[in-house]
Amino acid sequence: MLNRITSQFDFNADALKLRSERQRVIASNIANADTPGFQARDFNFREALSNVRRETTTPVSASSAGSTGSLAITNPRHLSTTTLSTSSFVGKGTPLKYSMPTQGAFDGNTVEVHRETANFAENAVRYEAALRFLNGQIKTMGMAVNGQ
């Protein structure tokens, strides 16, 4: 029962982290709109969330399942860190991709401010929705614990 509760909190926390990271990436694109040669980047949120969730459900190895129940890295491709790094990847295994401009610029900059501001606004709304959902879960949990 406790695992189901914490997995829901973990899912929403991961979604908030990724939304926050996407907001940072988009803001960087907007900030560099006038930088010659700057290449706009973004990532697929759904793919990143799927990769992060897959990482948090690492299988328990047979040798440790009976003793402590700790998770083990059973494949050399499993990663053990949980920090987000956007130098080339978001989360684990989700690469930042270059945005394809609809209209090229002479200076090589691929930022389209209208698209980036729309993405920024949409992501902000989705971040707020995820935050409200998480707050609702926390309030419901508090009421259940207090017997209300």
Side-chain angles (χ1 to χ4, degrees), residues 5 21 26 29 31 36 41 52 55 61 66 68 73 79 83 85-86 92 95-96 104 109 113 115 128-129 135 145:
I5 294 169
E21 190 61 28
I26 295 169
N29 289 343
R41 300 180 85 178
V52 168
E55 294 164 12
S61 69
T68 63
I73 297 175
L79 301 174
T83 58
S85 168
T86 57
K92 297 163 188 93
L96 276 175
N109 187 304
V113 177
R115 180 183 63 196
E128 181 69 26
N135 283 336
V145 168

Side-chain angles (χ1 to χ4, degrees), residues 18-123:
L18 287 171
R19 286 278 172 215
S20 176
E21 190 61 28
R22 184 159 189 250
Q23 206 70 345
R24 191 190 69 72
V25 169
I26 295 169
S28 174
N29 289 343
I30 293 170
N32 287 291
D34 294 325
T35 304
F38 183 81
Q39 302 290 306
R41 300 180 85 178
D42 202 352
F43 63 91
N44 183 317
F45 178 82
R46 183 174 291 164
E47 178 185 335
L49 185 59
S50 175
N51 287 340
V52 168
R53 295 308 304 155
R54 193 175 313 119
E55 294 164 12
T56 59
T57 57
T58 306
V60 176
S61 69
S63 61
S64 66
S67 57
T68 63
S70 63
L71 298 178
I73 297 175
T74 59
N75 185 309
R77 292 183 294 175
H78 291 166
L79 301 174
S80 60
T81 61
T82 57
T83 58
L84 298 175
S85 168
T86 57
S87 58
S88 60
F89 289 93
V90 175
K92 297 163 188 93
T94 305
L96 276 175
K97 298 176 183 173
Y98 292 104
S99 300
M100 296 301 294
T102 55
Q103 187 173 12
F106 288 116
D107 65 358
N109 187 304
T110 63
V111 176
E112 292 179 332
V113 177
H114 63 279
R115 180 183 63 196
E116 297 297 332
T117 53
N119 287 343
F120 190 88
E122 177 193 7
N123 195 64

